[in-house]
Each structure stands twice: as structure tokens, then as C-alpha cells.
Amino acid sequence: MSPRRVAGVLVLCASLTSAQTTASPQPTVFATKVESVLIDAFVTGDGGQMPGLTARDFILKDNGTRVEFDLLPAESLPLRAILVFDTSTSMQGLKIERLRAAAEAFVDRLRPEDEAALVSFSDEITWRVPLTTDRARLRFGILSLQARGATSAYDALFTALLVPRSGLRTLIVLFSDGEDNMSWLREKQIKGAVERSNALIHVVAAPPVDPRPGVLRIASDAEIANLKTLRGLAAITGGSLIEVASTDRIDAAFAEIIDRMKNRYVLRYTPESDLASGWHTLDLQLVTRKGKVRGRTGYWVEPR
Amino acid sequence: MRALLAFLLVASAGTAAAQSMTARETAYWDVVTRYATGNRKDAVATIGGWSEKDLDRILKSVQGLEKAARRCEACEDRARFDALPLRAAILLHAERDRMDRVARMQENGGAAECAISANGRMSADLLGPAALQPGGARFASRFYAVFAQHLRSALCFLTSRNWAEAGLKLAPRDAMLLFVDGLASETIGVTGFVEPTLRSERDWRGRQTAGYENLDPKREFSRAIDGFEKALAVDPHLSEARLRLGRVLSRMGRGPEARVSLKQAVEETSGASRYLAHLFLGQCLEDDGDLDGAIGQYSAAMALRPDSQIGAVALAHAHSLRGRSETAREVLEKMLPVAGRRQAADPYWSYAMGSPEDAEALIEDLRRETLR
């Protein structure tokens, strides 16, 4: 195994052991030199999510070369969810109320060993609650969300990707209702940061609403482009964007994310040969039956 | 306010000018006088009750006096015209227009309101005659520049540019107006829209957007560059124009020129502009692959504003690209507790669209100086 630094999805084997046995928020320190790629895979067929698959049902290719992998018991892995919420002015009124209610329900659906954190963004990024299993603390943070200011989604996402210690795999649930108009980071830069991260990102996008009563709001070109960008960012990590038709569907979207996480497959792949630097494309396929597989599209290896 | 006092003396002496006034005109100038002498709230409320037709009659009367005044430089007509408190009238109508637009905005649930009211048009129409008065031309160009900035901060970007261009017809070499013209174009290019309320409406504002359906940011940035360069040609010390020129050149992919302009802005500016110049120069260097140079500039920005989240994100990102994830994390961790506790707003937040508070301060300065 090359000692070369593998960014993003590469985590040390010991982290997996740690993740299965403890819900401690403390950063894990690893002594081993063995590195692995972990891939969250979501498989759907005609009847929805497809349970009961084994390693034999998949093939995985790294830059076109078939590689061996292990299938891990996903249900035993605790979640580390970071809720990253848009609290810009456009969220005022019913929308922020629905988001609060949906977030509380999301926290209630977590298992006792699962951790969650809360980050909000407008002009500023506020890390409201650090990763914790303390549900009361999370609920208090959720209730304190107020809508005011512009939207800096990319900067908030970057912060959520970077602040948790390396070795901790996180699920980021990003909620936004409009285009990013205040971030320092641009699309290309946040894409690079996502490619180098070890997080799984699911995005929930609510429709823009015209503040004038009865006026139908048509999304602007910039808002449509923004949705495309967020969808792309989620796809890199194997996650997806759920577009809700109205704010009363936010709760259902969050519930769907929890459901997907419960029914996902986690693949561990340990490269044996020296890794070339740069982007490695991962291709995960279902071979024994018909279905759609969504997983991380690749990982990044930093140059020596 | 010498002109106002002279006018009041003329009127109270019962001269031909005063005698020839209709009762409605007398009432109008009384409202203006009340505004100029400190009964601001009362005057703004009263003028709101005047119909467009009434205001039109007043305008025609002023234009008639202007026509007579243009015939001579030292005659009674000219003295009578010069005594009209036109600047106070302009500020009064503009204030009422702002008030009406805020009310409509609230009715519309906060959507930007850019349609200029009858009072707004009256203030614009009086600017031409006012420019003939002593010191009037300077006041008019300043008024155009200040109100263009107000309209930009009210999210009325196209109206802001139209306002600046109207001012430039009067004063083609006014550095501030050239700068504000560029400013509106930069904002249109950055935001990608001309005015937020235009999409769904088919009134005169809708027609104004014709040609903007395929808004091309590069075309807007080119216009902005033109405005900033012209402003700097007239006034090389207009350092905000230097900063913005560098920023727009960078957006246009003209890195070497952008770096020159931004380096100059770093040297020439102070405070908020210098902070922004460091950030923008850092981004130019980062885009050019000079990560150490970028880190230096972002650090300089952070030294000026240690509570800057934008600076922290920029610095952390550059460190992460440099392979220093732990340093990047430390930078972010240090910035997070600052949220909601900063002393002042980050200038980056209002860079693209301006801030209503700053625009209001400019209007207030103009009002105070004019009615002194």
C-alpha cells in the first residue's frame, strides 16, 4: 500500500472498527497504515429499495479495473449526521416553521447511538450544535433557528465537510430554498472540496416562494442552475437531491433520507497497488438483477 | 439656504412673482418651505396628498420661470428663478417617493419595488431647472449619483443605471456618476438580473427589460469596466473604482490586469476597501495557482478584520488546497464562535448590491448639506 495521502473517502480500517463499536464524538487516532475506500450504495428496483443483497450482487471498478471489496453490515454503523440548514430571509414564515418541525422529527428518528450536529447559514455560518447524541440540545438548537440574511450554502457546506476530524464519516443533510448569493467559494472550488471529502451528502431543496400573496413564483435561471449544482455535489458522494414540491413535504424528504440510510449498503475497498494521483473514478454495478445503484462516483488521491 | 430665504423675502414682499402665483402654487412652495425649515415629516405627509395633475402644473410653472431666466443672467426673472427652493423641492419629492415605494414593498410582502412614483418623477423633472441655479449643476450630479446608489441598494439595478445615465447627460465627466454607472452594471452582471420584480409583470417596467431576456454577464462586466476606467481617468484617486475595476477584470478572466489594479487598490485604500482588495487579490493569485501568495493576502485581510468568516473560509480553503487540512480546520474552528457576535457587518456582504443603510446615510448627508 502506498503511503501516499488519499483524500476524502479513504479512511483507515481502524475507523470502521471504531465506528461499529462506539458512538464517541472524539476524534479517532489510527496507528495502522492500511487505508480503505468506503462507499455508501443505495439500490432501488421496481419495488423501491432493494434489501437482502450480498457482495456477489455487485461489481466495483476503480478507473475501469475490477476490484475486490467487502460488504459491511450497514445497520450496525452509527450515523453521524450534520444538518446544514438555510436560514436566509426567504425562509421566513411558514417555511422555517416547517423546517424546524421536520428537523425535530429527523432527530427523533435517529437511533440512540446516532449523533447529529446543527449548522445554519445565511450571511454567516453558525455551528449551533456540535456532534452529539443529546437530543434535547439538538431540539433547542433547532428551535432557535431564525430566518434572516443572504445565502452562503457553499461556504457552509465546506465548513461542514472540513470541521469534523478526519476519520469520521459524516452524513450531511443540506437544506436550501434558493440560489447561493453570498458564498466566497465558487462552484468549482466546492466541487473540489466535496471530491476530497469523506462525507455523504443528501440535499433537500424547497421551491422558491414569492412573498406577494397569490403570486406564483417561477424559479430564476440562477436558481435552476443552483439546483443542478447541488444535485451534482450530492451525486459525487453517492447522495441525491430531493426536490420537495411544497414546504409541507420537507418532513417526508428527511424521513426518506433516514430510510435510505437504514437500507444502504456499505462497501469497503482496499486498493492493493500503488495509487496514481488524481481523481479515481469508481463504477459500481448491480450484476445479478435489475436495479439502479447510486454510490460515490470516485475519490481523490493527492500528489506525493 | 440663501436661495430659500431670498425666495421667501421675494414672496412676502408681494412682488409680481408672488402676486402672479396661483393659490395652489403658493401652497406648494409653502410645503417645500416647511420641509426646508425642519418640518420634514409634516411636509412629506402633505406632499403625498398632491395629485399628479397638480404636480404637473407646478412643474410647468417652474419650467416657465426657467425659460424666462435663461434669457438673461442679471435680470429680475433670473433673480426670481434663482430664489426658488428647487433643491429642497427635489429632496422632498424624492423622500416621498422612497416612502411610497417602501409602503408598496411592504404590501407586496417584501418584494423589491422599483416603479418611480409621481413624486419620484417630479424630483427628476426638477433636476434640469435646478441645474441652472448657482451651484445647481453640482447638486444635480450629486443627487443623481446618490439616488442611483439608493436604487441599487433597493435592488432596482436597471433603474439605478438609468438614473446614473440621466445624470451623465447633464455632467458627462462627473467621476462619481461614471463610477456609479459602472457599479450598476457590475451588480447586474454579478446577480444575473436587472430587477427582481420584472419577470412576472407586463407594465412599463416589463418593457424596460426588453433586451435583458438573454442577459450576458460579460457584456455587463464590460460596461462596468468602461465606467470604472472612465471614472479613474477623471479622478485617479477614486480608489473604490480601482478596487472594483480589479474585481471585474478578475471575473472577466483578465488576471494580470486584475492583479495590477488590485495591488494598487491594496496600496491606495484603507479600511473596508483595503480588506476587500486583499481578499480579491488573494482570489486572483489562487486562480493563478499561487497558493502561498493567496494565503498571504487572505491572512492580511484577516489581520484587518479578525472576525471575518469570508476571510476564514478563503484562508481555510487555500490551506486545504495546500494539503494543510489541520491548519484549515483550525482557521474554521476559530471563526465559528464569532457568528452573530461581530461588531460590524462584513463589507463583503454588501459589496455586490450595496446596503440600504449606507445609501440612506448618503441621502441624509446630501439633505443636511443642501438644507444647511
Side-chain angles (χ1 to χ4, degrees), chain B residues 115 184 235 276 350:
Chain B
D235 181 0
L276 291 170
S350 56

Side-chain angles (χ1 to χ4, degrees), chain B residues 15-215:
Chain B
T15 60
Q19 282 161 6
S20 66
M21 270 189 190
T22 64
R24 204 59 180 144
E25 284 171 65
T26 307
Y28 173 79
W29 292 112
D30 178 57
V31 178
V32 174
T33 304
R34 271 189 277 154
Y35 180 77
T37 51
N39 292 322
R40 185 175 171 185
K41 206 173 165 184
D42 169 53
V44 172
T46 307
I47 206 69
W50 281 59
S51 70
E52 203 167 343
K53 207 171 166 184
D54 278 340
L55 293 178
D56 220 35
R57 281 200 196 103
I58 300 293
L59 177 65
K60 285 207 172 83
S61 137
V62 171
Q63 286 169 336
L65 289 168
E66 180 200 3
K67 200 174 171 186
R70 281 190 186 278
R71 291 197 197 105
C72 58
E73 293 233 340
C75 58
E76 197 185 337
D77 284 341
R78 184 63 181 242
R80 198 184 304 151
F81 174 75
D82 284 350
L84 288 175
L86 286 178
R87 291 174 221 175
I90 289 163
L91 291 168
L92 166 65
H93 289 297
E95 189 162 340
R96 181 69 214 193
D97 170 63
R98 285 195 338 270
M99 186 191 269
D100 291 343
R101 275 188 288 118
V102 167
R104 286 203 301 274
M105 194 174 90
Q106 282 165 351
E107 279 168 28
N108 287 338
E113 178 53 61
C114 302
I116 303 293
S117 67
N119 273 287
R121 282 194 293 278
M122 183 71 173
S123 66
D125 289 338
L126 288 175
L127 280 165
L132 186 65
Q133 293 182 325
R138 194 177 167 280
F139 167 82
S141 55
R142 179 124 182 258
F143 181 87
Y144 273 119
V146 165
F147 267 75
Q149 289 177 83
H150 153 69
L151 287 161
R152 171 174 166 264
S153 74
L155 309 180
C156 303
F157 310 140
L158 186 61
T159 310
S160 167
R161 185 160 70 192
N162 290 345
W163 205 256
E165 283 173 358
L168 283 168
K169 280 182 191 153
L170 201 72
R173 282 185 51 79
D174 184 285
M176 190 47 86
L177 279 170
L178 288 163
F179 168 70
V180 172
D181 191 36
L183 197 56
S185 297
E186 182 190 13
T187 302
I188 291 171
V190 171
T191 59
F193 55 66
V194 285
E195 285 173 5
T197 55
L198 295 176
R199 285 176 181 278
S200 57
E201 298 184 16
R202 290 186 178 185
D203 57 11
W204 66 274
R205 286 172 288 160
R207 288 197 294 279
Q208 270 199 326
T209 57
Y212 285 93
E213 283 155 7
N214 298 310
L215 191 146

Side-chain angles (χ1 to χ4, degrees), chain A residues 45-65:
Chain A
D46 291 339
Q49 299 199 74
M50 212 181 274
L53 299 176
T54 66
R56 288 180 189 170
D57 294 310
F58 299 96
I59 60 167
L60 176 67
K61 290 180 182 172
D62 181 341
N63 275 347
T65 305

Side-chain angles (χ1 to χ4, degrees), chain A residues 5 123-127 155 158-159 162-166 182-186 189 211-213 215 220-221, chain B residues 108-109 111 200-201 279 283 286-287 298 309-310 313-314 317 325-326 328-329 332-333 336 339-340 342 348-349:
Chain A
R5 185 169 165 273
D123 298 299
E124 286 194 306
I125 300 153
T126 308
W127 200 288
D155 288 359
F158 175 69
T159 305
L162 213 70
V163 166
R165 300 280 150 183
S166 58
M182 197 48 74
S183 283
W184 175 257
L185 299 177
R186 292 159 287 171
Q189 294 172 310
R212 291 168 294 183
V215 178
S220 68
D221 295 345
Chain B
N108 287 338
S200 57
E201 298 184 16
L279 283 178
Q283 194 172 65
E286 186 180 327
D287 288 346
Y298 296 146
Q309 279 204 347
I310 291 289
V313 168
H317 181 256
S325 296
E326 197 53 42
R329 186 173 297 113
L332 290 178
E333 281 175 341
L336 288 169
R342 68 187 64 250
Y348 180 78
W349 297 343

